[in-house]
Amino acid sequence: MKTAVVLIPLLPLASFIITGLLGRRYFKEKSHYLSVASVAVSWALSMYVFYRVRSGGPETWQSYSWIVSGNFKVDVGFLVDELTAVMLLVVSTVGFMVHVYSIGYMRGDPGYYRFFAYLNLFMFSMFMLVLASNFLLLYVFWEAVGLCSYLLIAFWYPKKSASNAGTKAFLVNRVGDFGFGLGVILIFVTLGTLNYSGVFSAAGTLGSGTLTAICLLLFVGAVGKSAQFPLHVWLPDAMEGPTPVSSLIHAATMVNAGVYMVARSSPLFSQSETAMLVVALTGAFTAIFAASIGLVQNDIKRVLAYSTVSQLGYMFMALGVGAWSAGMFHLMSHGFFKGLLFLCSGAVIHALAGEQDMRKMGGLKDKTRITYWTFVIGALALAGFPGLAGFFSKDSVLAGAFSGGYWYLWLVGIITALMTAFYMFRLIFMTFHGQPRTDPEVFEHAHEAPPSMWVPLVVLAVPSVLVGLVAGIPPEDGLIDRFLKPVFESLPGEHHGFGVSAALLMVVSGLVVIGGIYLAWQFYVRRTRLPGLMGERFRPVYRLLLNKYWIDEIYAATIINPTRRLANLLWRAFDDAVIDGAVNGAARFFRGVGAALSPTQSGRVQGYLLGMFMGLIALGVAYFILIF
């Protein structure tokens, strides 16, 4: 199995190097051949590793010593256990489908080869992040996926909004990564090792304050990478990148890195009640906060972006209440149906010649039947409709919160589920139903996506339907719970049951979801005047949600603009006046001296001889004075 594990990241890395160096000159429109093939083989190897872990258990080994300095020793090592296997399953499957989808979506783009090279680099970085056996290696590839995110968000860099979005994502993530880095340093300072096995086995020796500090610093990194409040602002703007990027990085894989890191660090977090409560409350607040914004957004990709932020909040809420397997179950199912939804949105945008505003859509149901039905499947799964993947995984999160005694978090989750069902079917009804509101010529030429784009939709629709049925039944002891049990079974923690069965909670959740879909149907199909009337009646609330609570504006007023003004002040008052002034002043002084002495350099030998003679006289006079 070791050879397979090593090849999983190395194949995309090799493809990145070859495609990046030779793609522009030699491969051109065929640049996807090697890229897609490498990820396809990595996917097959990931499935093999998943099977081996399921049948044979975890393995860990060190490949070679990376850094050795005194007592600081870090190896490049691999840890392959049940948690790793689940992440490999999601990352490789969605990544493979996105690569295939990109063949049709990016066809004809001048940076075609560059796009596939970046995708390969991301796959390499994400695989290494998941397979790492120590915190430093995790941190290195944590930063690498951040670099890939920047490159792919700003892929269309001549477009100002795209380059700004890439910069914003990079800077906001640096805030979280700074905390993460401090957490890694604190782990080594207190425990003397960064290997998972050594850290987790020695975690019980840490004082409660130190342990909580480590967990909260690590969680700061997760807040940035997984777009939790207050560092969520980068992800909606990241929709400026190509749609396959939205699916791969900002829905199904990279943003899950924070959830994976907290789950991987569960032996630390589970011993700090304060850290667990912070994780749970942050997740719950982010879930309902982002869902409320998604209710009124009009850009099809931004609706899905805020749903991603909200669903990541669900995952953190699950981890924070100790429902570790439930959080990872929702990560897995969400990866499939959210990847599907973003790819479906790309097919819609492709059909409408780049249009993303849902107010200019409508009537596409008969024009794009495959996209429509796969979109509906993804929306039902995300909403948590009974029987689909999201129903089982989301309700396992809610059941974990309720049975753990966090009834208020369960209530937040239920309200969020109602909002989710409403805004997802608002999207469906505005995009595919009713009369077309787009330009008649554009609508006339609207068509289904090519096979390279709709085949991945069909493939991802299958797990969006079946994952819950396969892995989530029975709800309290499904396949996913049994599979992940070796990773989480030894964690300390106590749940206080209320005597309420999971089945009853699922019934309540299912009814809430159906109610949300019914409300969306009333608003956007049956009584289409209602949204306008409600917007006018509750205009302050509508403007608050439409403007995303003015969080970006608050950051601009309190952080960005003051920092820019301070930087300008330091530039003009210190850098320009003092530092540059001293350097430029010295240059001006010697230029003046040179200008004053330049007449003496006439080129006349007689003048030079006279000068030498006068100098000798002056030296003689000086010598005479000093002696006598």
Side-chain angles (χ1 to χ4, degrees), residues 453-578:
M453 292 175 66
W454 64 254
V455 169
L457 306 184
V458 176
V459 172
L460 289 175
V462 174
S464 298
V465 174
L466 298 179
V467 161
L469 297 171
V470 173
I473 296 178
E476 298 172 325
D477 190 31
L479 177 63
I480 188 69
D481 299 284
R482 297 194 301 273
F483 183 72
L484 292 173
K485 187 176 181 180
V487 180
F488 301 123
E489 64 179 342
S490 61
L491 300 180
E494 182 180 357
H495 290 283
H496 306 280
F498 280 76
V500 180
S501 69
L504 180 57
L505 294 176
M506 293 172 80
V507 168
V508 173
S509 177
L511 291 175
V512 167
V513 169
I514 294 171
I517 296 173
Y518 175 76
L519 280 176
W521 178 72
Q522 286 284 342
F523 272 67
Y524 294 97
V525 176
R526 187 177 180 188
R527 304 172 66 183
T528 54
R529 295 180 58 195
L530 272 179
L533 294 174
M534 293 291 288
E536 287 297 325
R537 184 171 182 179
F538 300 100
R539 189 165 185 78
V541 176
Y542 175 76
R543 292 184 65 244
L544 180 68
L545 298 180
L546 185 65
N547 290 282
K548 303 160 287 186
Y549 294 93
W550 287 287
I551 298 294
D552 284 296
E553 288 77 6
I554 292 172
Y555 285 171
T558 60
I559 299 174
I560 299 171
N561 292 337
T563 302
R564 183 181 289 119
R565 285 194 291 269
L566 176 61
N568 286 332
L569 177 64
L570 293 175
W571 163 46
R572 296 182 184 280
F574 186 74
D575 188 57
D576 195 30
V578 178

Side-chain angles (χ1 to χ4, degrees), residues 327-495:
M328 291 306 299
F329 182 21
H330 197 50
L331 180 152
M332 181 176 69
S333 65
H334 175 263
F336 292 125
F337 59 68
K338 184 54 66 65
L340 167 63
L341 287 169
F342 267 108
L343 295 185
C344 285
S345 71
V348 170
I349 295 167
H350 176 80
L352 295 179
E355 183 58 68
Q356 296 185 199
D357 192 334
M358 297 187 301
R359 294 170 297 184
K360 299 178 181 178
M361 297 182 183
L364 285 175
K365 178 182 176 182
D366 295 327
K367 289 272 190 177
T368 57
R369 288 189 174 275
I370 297 176
T371 300
Y372 170 71
W373 286 110
T374 51
F375 215 139
V376 168
I377 290 172
L380 288 171
L382 174 59
F385 191 82
L388 276 73
F391 173 70
F392 293 99
S393 63
K394 174 176 63 64
D395 286 1
S396 66
V397 172
L398 296 176
F402 197 95
S403 63
Y406 301 91
W407 62 267
Y408 53 95
L409 297 182
W410 174 84
L411 182 60
V412 170
I414 283 292
I415 296 172
T416 303
L418 176 66
M419 293 180 176
T420 304
F422 179 85
Y423 68 65
M424 281 310 302
F425 277 84
R426 170 180 177 264
L427 183 155
I428 292 292
F429 294 140
M430 289 182 69
T431 303
F432 294 99
H433 291 256
Q435 295 300 315
R437 298 178 298 277
T438 189
D439 182 90
E441 185 175 349
V442 172
F443 183 79
E444 179 67 25
H445 292 88
H447 58 280
E448 187 59 83
S452 63
M453 292 175 66
W454 64 254
V455 169
L457 306 184
V458 176
V459 172
L460 289 175
V462 174
S464 298
V465 174
L466 298 179
V467 161
L469 297 171
V470 173
I473 296 178
E476 298 172 325
D477 190 31
L479 177 63
I480 188 69
D481 299 284
R482 297 194 301 273
F483 183 72
L484 292 173
K485 187 176 181 180
V487 180
F488 301 123
E489 64 179 342
S490 61
L491 300 180
E494 182 180 357
H495 290 283

Side-chain angles (χ1 to χ4, degrees), residues 41-87:
V41 177
S42 293
W43 173 82
L45 293 173
S46 298
M47 297 304 101
Y48 169 72
V49 170
F50 185 89
Y51 170 77
R52 285 291 302 272
V53 170
R54 183 181 177 187
S55 58
E59 289 188 24
T60 181
W61 70 92
Q62 313 304 323
S63 293
Y64 67 92
S65 294
W66 176 26
I67 301 174
V68 179
S69 178
N71 64 341
F72 181 64
K73 183 177 183 296
V74 179
D75 297 321
V76 173
F78 298 90
L79 170 62
V80 183
D81 62 359
E82 292 79 4
L83 187 58
T84 305
V86 169
M87 290 298 295

